[in-house]
Amino acid sequence: EAKLQPAPKSAAAPRAARRGAANAEQIRALVAGRLEALDKGADYFALLDVGREAPPDEVRSRYFALARHLHPDRLEAAGILDEKKDAQRLFAQINTAFAVLTHPKRRDEYMAILRAGGEKAVKARAAEAESKTLRLLAAEDAFRRGEMALRRDLFAEAVAAFQQAVELNPEEGEHHAGLAWATWCLAPDKSKVLTEVRRGLDRAKDLSPQSALPYLYRGRVAKHEGKDDLAHQCFEQVLELEPGNIDASAEVRLLESRRSKRDSKSNRLGGKTRKA
């Protein structure tokens, strides 16, 4: 009686298993290597392993060679679970690189980014510019608060606001002018802050030579010192920069009236002396 013999073992199954294991190791090494490069800032050309002058056909060929290893179906066939989504992340980046480098306009734009230092550098500069804009806006807001406090004779509040404006934007002359004038107004003893105030107003004029504000405040300080000629020059400078400035016009009229009275008094005294 014939007996059933067990089927001979096929050598194909072990060979397929070995090929699957080899493919899995190859894919894992590919993913690990490209992700490391990506995390270190590799650009799209490096990610696809092509030169920056590579034509679209070369980019396309290299992309498909990589995509074959990273496609989800290939990963499943190789027994790779990709629990951390590393291969998925790499595949997404490679797809983006392919889309950019095979599109003429997008490739030109990307090359411009690379010439500017890369995406991180561009983003860093954009973030810096945004931060600077926010600082300038905050400085302007602080300056306006200082002006409002001055109008209400809240000099300590004005000093604090102008100090914040100077800290946020030290290159704006009017901020220094506002701080100097508020400091002058706040000080009970003007002589103690005179040097500081002059320095602040000089700094303001250097930074913003076309601003009338430093000259207006310098004229007021000079008038307080009894330096009418200097004060008059400062107020005239204000009017040259801002014709019709109400504050400077009033100060000029006051100084000229004071000078007229002095001259008139001097003439009267001179006449009495001659008669005597």
Side-chain angles (χ1 to χ4, degrees), residues 40-43 52 109-125:
K40 289 181 178 179
D43 60 45
R52 293 194 177 185
E109 292 171 348
Y110 184 67
M111 289 299 295
I113 289 174
L114 293 181
R115 286 192 294 269
E119 291 185 50
K120 287 186 177 180
V122 171
K123 288 179 180 179
R125 283 196 289 273

Side-chain angles (χ1 to χ4, degrees), residues 111-145:
M111 289 299 295
I113 289 174
L114 293 181
R115 286 192 294 269
E119 291 185 50
K120 287 186 177 180
V122 171
K123 288 179 180 179
R125 283 196 289 273
E128 183 181 354
E130 182 179 0
S131 176
K132 182 178 180 180
T133 299
L134 293 175
R135 286 199 309 273
L136 295 180
L137 290 174
E140 189 64 21
D141 179 66
F143 178 75
R144 297 305 173 199
R145 285 190 282 105

Side-chain angles (χ1 to χ4, degrees), residues 83-99:
E83 294 177 347
K84 295 182 180 180
K85 306 297 183 183
D86 288 340
Q88 180 178 321
R89 178 160 69 94
L90 180 60
F91 192 35
Q93 288 296 318
I94 286 174
N95 281 329
T96 301
F98 170 71

Side-chain angles (χ1 to χ4, degrees), residues 113-206:
I113 289 174
L114 293 181
R115 286 192 294 269
E119 291 185 50
K120 287 186 177 180
V122 171
K123 288 179 180 179
R125 283 196 289 273
E128 183 181 354
E130 182 179 0
S131 176
K132 182 178 180 180
T133 299
L134 293 175
R135 286 199 309 273
L136 295 180
L137 290 174
E140 189 64 21
D141 179 66
F143 178 75
R144 297 305 173 199
R145 285 190 282 105
E147 287 188 313
M148 187 178 298
L150 276 179
R151 287 194 291 270
R152 297 163 60 192
D153 292 339
L154 300 175
F155 301 128
E157 186 177 319
V159 167
F162 287 130
Q163 281 178 334
Q164 184 181 14
V166 168
E167 289 170 2
L168 289 168
N169 183 14
E171 300 306 313
E172 174 53 59
E174 290 195 350
H175 296 174
H176 291 272
L179 178 57
W181 179 242
T183 300
W184 173 265
C185 294
L186 179 63
D189 187 347
K190 308 299 185 189
S191 63
K192 289 185 177 180
V193 297
L194 182 57
T195 300
E196 177 187 352
V197 168
R198 285 176 178 169
R199 188 183 301 117
L201 293 175
D202 287 342
R203 175 68 171 157
K205 286 187 286 186
D206 289 340

Side-chain angles (χ1 to χ4, degrees), residues 14-272:
R15 283 200 298 271
R18 286 196 295 272
R19 283 199 301 272
N23 287 339
E25 289 304 314
Q26 181 183 8
I27 293 170
R28 289 192 183 96
L30 171 66
V31 171
R34 293 302 166 92
L35 278 183
E36 182 181 4
L38 182 65
D39 291 339
K40 289 181 178 179
D43 60 45
Y44 290 159
F45 293 98
L47 193 60
L48 294 180
D49 194 22
V50 296
R52 293 194 177 185
E53 302 299 324
D57 286 345
E58 183 180 345
V59 172
R60 189 175 292 105
S61 175
R62 186 58 185 154
Y63 163 74
F64 283 121
L66 291 169
R68 280 197 295 272
H69 293 290
L70 299 173
H71 192 279
D73 291 343
R74 185 61 178 271
L75 297 179
E76 184 178 355
I80 298 175
L81 297 179
D82 195 26
E83 294 177 347
K84 295 182 180 180
K85 306 297 183 183
D86 288 340
Q88 180 178 321
R89 178 160 69 94
L90 180 60
F91 192 35
Q93 288 296 318
I94 286 174
N95 281 329
T96 301
F98 170 71
V100 170
L101 299 186
T102 54
H103 189 287
K105 183 178 179 181
R106 294 181 67 184
R107 181 166 175 162
D108 287 344
E109 292 171 348
Y110 184 67
M111 289 299 295
I113 289 174
L114 293 181
R115 286 192 294 269
E119 291 185 50
K120 287 186 177 180
V122 171
K123 288 179 180 179
R125 283 196 289 273
E128 183 181 354
E130 182 179 0
S131 176
K132 182 178 180 180
T133 299
L134 293 175
R135 286 199 309 273
L136 295 180
L137 290 174
E140 189 64 21
D141 179 66
F143 178 75
R144 297 305 173 199
R145 285 190 282 105
E147 287 188 313
M148 187 178 298
L150 276 179
R151 287 194 291 270
R152 297 163 60 192
D153 292 339
L154 300 175
F155 301 128
E157 186 177 319
V159 167
F162 287 130
Q163 281 178 334
Q164 184 181 14
V166 168
E167 289 170 2
L168 289 168
N169 183 14
E171 300 306 313
E172 174 53 59
E174 290 195 350
H175 296 174
H176 291 272
L179 178 57
W181 179 242
T183 300
W184 173 265
C185 294
L186 179 63
D189 187 347
K190 308 299 185 189
S191 63
K192 289 185 177 180
V193 297
L194 182 57
T195 300
E196 177 187 352
V197 168
R198 285 176 178 169
R199 188 183 301 117
L201 293 175
D202 287 342
R203 175 68 171 157
K205 286 187 286 186
D206 289 340
L207 289 171
S208 302
Q210 298 304 310
S211 172
L213 204 58
Y215 294 98
L216 178 65
Y217 293 152
R218 185 66 186 93
R220 288 175 174 173
V221 172
K223 187 179 71 171
H224 179 87
E225 294 178 276
K227 299 178 179 179
D228 287 2
D229 289 342
L230 175 58
H232 192 277
Q233 291 174 11
C234 290
F235 296 136
E236 288 290 354
Q237 182 65 37
V238 173
L239 292 174
E240 184 176 329
L241 292 168
E242 289 184 7
N245 183 289
I246 296 175
D247 293 326
S249 297
E251 294 284 8
V252 167
R253 286 196 299 271
L254 178 62
L255 288 172
E256 290 179 348
S257 174
R258 183 186 297 178
R259 180 186 297 170
S260 179
K261 288 178 182 179
R262 283 200 306 267
D263 291 344
S264 177
K265 182 178 180 180
S266 177
N267 289 336
R268 287 199 304 273
L269 291 174
K272 287 180 181 180

